[in-house]
Amino acid sequence: MNYIFIFLILISFVCAIINGKVDIVVNEMLKSSQKAVEIAIGLIGIMAFWLGIVNIAKVSGLMNLFSNMIKKPLLLIFPDLKNNNEAISDIALNISANALGLTNAATPFGIKAMEDMQKENENKNQATNSMCTFLAINTAGFQIVPAVVLAILTASGMNNPAQIIIPTLIVTSIAFISALIFVKILERFFK
Amino acid sequence: MIKFLNTLSIYILPLIITIILCYAIYKKTPAYENFIEGAKEGFSIAVKIIPYLVAIMVCTAMLRASGAIELLQNILKPLLDYFKIPVETTILMITRSLSGSATLGVLSDVINQTGANSYATKLAAVITGSSETTFYVASVYFGAVGIKKFRHALLAGILADITGLIAAVWICSVFFL
């Protein structure tokens, strides 16, 4: 990210000088930072609403119920964790929290799951198959409700932002399944 | 089918909220108090992303004003046109594996540029909503337990990202074009 940041700014200055648009670029630079803050402030309401709703699910135990339901199917994906009940529970909680868009709540469960798996790891420097699988499905970012994106769309005045929910769900499911397939194929080649 | 799914999109939020509230009643937990407790976090999350939004929105605004985006647009145009990918979304495709907050900035920028109801906005929203930042997740989770050899984890993540991108372009063209 560091190099991209530097590269983008320097490229802009170079192009601005070549195209003789330095004044416009400087003007845009100042104006857009203002705009960024306005967008962030616009997110507060919807984020607060969604995090409030999801917190009800968390405290009432609905999230735990959901994660208990997905534990069994998860064992098919993580055959190595048959005897590591703690790790499977944390992975289930991590996926449930992510699915609801609770990224902040999901991360501690994810780290906890990694620690549980690390306990049974023979080579502490190297990731196990289960760890790689867990990471790959996490990077696919499975989410039922993309709360932040909905917040941005609503703040920007889109008609009916909810229309993106199903397409997003389909795409994230495809990414999730492909992550599983890739990780299972690749684990044979990386010993 | 598409029409049905579009309707489902609208009903999914009320449905989830109803399930959550009914379960809270069933378990006799105080929904209102828990709502307030959770909602408090909304402010800090929005404020936390300000620096990232500023960084990326300034970058893209400068790029556009300088004419660099136009240049890129002209080079990539034939390829992007073929797949019906709006040129505004190309930066998003790069940042989304690197930084989630930066991706939100680019999404906001696409909306600013093309309008809230454009196809570019919808595609950008689906790409953003369906991905997690592969490199960030890897560094946090493996870093937390001191794993140094990632083996195939990153490669699988990136391949899944690419699959997700292709899926997003395809699904959006089915739904929104």
Side-chain angles (χ1 to χ4, degrees):
Chain A
M1 209 53 222
N2 194 18
Y3 290 109
I4 295 179
F5 182 67
I6 295 169
F7 174 76
L8 290 181
I9 292 186
L10 292 185
I11 268 283
S12 310
F13 281 138
V14 173
C15 282
I17 292 166
I18 294 170
N19 293 335
K21 289 179 170 171
V22 179
D23 52 334
I24 307 174
V25 168
V26 171
N27 194 16
E28 275 297 312
M29 182 174 81
L30 301 172
K31 245 178 32 197
S32 58
S33 43
Q34 175 82 24
K35 185 93 195 167
V37 175
E38 281 166 25
I39 289 170
I41 299 298
L43 296 182
I44 295 174
I46 300 139
M47 284 315 293
F49 173 73
W50 183 247
L51 291 172
I53 290 290
V54 170
N55 195 47
I56 300 174
K58 206 166 95 184
V59 179
S60 70
L62 186 61
M63 204 173 88
N64 284 314
L65 186 78
F66 182 67
S67 74
N68 279 333
M69 269 160 47
I70 61 172
K71 252 192 219 170
K72 274 249 161 65
L74 277 179
L75 275 176
L76 298 174
I77 307 174
F78 297 96
D80 300 347
L81 299 181
K82 239 182 291 168
N83 302 316
N84 195 341
N85 191 37
E86 227 174 315
I88 277 288
S89 298
D90 285 323
I91 290 173
L93 282 168
N94 170 271
I95 293 175
S96 312
N98 265 329
L100 288 169
L102 282 174
T103 319
N104 280 354
T107 309
F109 289 130
I111 291 173
K112 183 82 197 335
M114 277 290 174
E115 283 167 356
D116 298 335
M117 288 186 270
Q118 179 74 320
K119 272 183 211 147
E120 300 197 344
N121 188 0
E122 282 158 21
N123 181 353
K124 300 283 181 208
N125 279 324
Q126 188 173 315
T128 62
N129 281 349
S130 299
M131 287 175 172
C132 292
T133 307
F134 176 62
L135 196 88
I137 60 174
N138 235 288
T139 63
F142 183 75
Q143 241 182 48
I144 298 172
V145 177
V148 186
V149 173
L150 283 178
I152 291 182
L153 293 176
T154 311
S156 69
M158 182 194 240
N159 306 329
N160 183 14
Q163 62 182 310
I164 66 134
I165 293 181
I166 290 289
T168 306
L169 197 55
I170 296 173
V171 172
T172 192
S173 306
I174 293 174
F176 185 89
I177 293 165
S178 73
L180 265 184
I181 295 171
F182 284 127
V183 88
K184 292 291 174 196
I185 295 173
L186 287 171
E187 74 184 18
R188 293 159 204 267
F189 299 103
F190 290 78
K191 289 291 175 193
Chain B
M1 182 66 182
I2 298 297
K3 212 171 165 200
F4 167 73
L5 289 177
N6 273 328
T7 321
L8 191 65
S9 275
I10 300 166
Y11 281 96
I12 202 161
L13 269 181
L15 184 74
I16 292 174
I17 293 172
T18 309
I19 293 172
I20 288 174
L21 292 180
C22 287
Y23 194 77
I25 296 168
Y26 169 66
K27 282 282 164 184
K28 299 194 175 65
T29 49
Y32 178 73
E33 278 81 355
N34 291 331
F35 178 90
I36 299 296
E37 199 50 47
K40 281 178 190 161
E41 262 184 80
F43 185 77
S44 58
I45 287 183
V47 171
K48 230 187 277 173
I49 64 171
I50 288 181
Y52 302 95
L53 275 181
V54 170
I56 205 72
M57 287 192 72
V58 168
C59 278
T60 47
M62 286 168 68
L63 269 182
R64 205 174 30 250
S66 71
I69 297 238
E70 229 174 301
L71 196 72
L72 182 78
Q73 201 163 357
N74 290 335
I75 298 169
L76 292 176
K77 204 170 185 317
L79 186 73
L80 295 175
D81 279 354
Y82 183 76
F83 291 106
K84 300 196 180 90
I85 303 170
V87 71
E88 291 83 2
T89 58
T90 42
I91 301 176
L92 193 79
M93 296 182 177
I94 303 164
T95 55
R96 66 158 220 162
S97 297
L98 299 170
S99 158
S101 310
T103 305
L104 291 181
V106 183
L107 172 64
S108 308
D109 192 65
V110 171
I111 298 170
N112 258 341
Q113 246 356 75
T114 64
N117 293 301
S118 70
Y119 178 65
T121 295
K122 289 169 189 165
L123 177 60
V126 170
I127 292 174
T128 310
S130 64
S131 66
E132 180 60 69
T133 45
T134 301
F135 290 92
Y136 172 78
V137 173
S139 62
V140 170
Y141 284 174
F142 281 159
V145 291
I147 294 282
K148 291 182 191 74
K149 284 191 182 145
F150 290 11
R151 287 175 65 213
H152 54 294
L154 268 187
L155 184 58
I158 292 164
L159 287 174
D161 278 354
I162 295 170
T163 315
L165 268 183
I166 297 169
V169 170
W170 174 54
I171 295 287
C172 280
S173 72
V174 173
F175 270 83
F176 299 127
L177 274 183

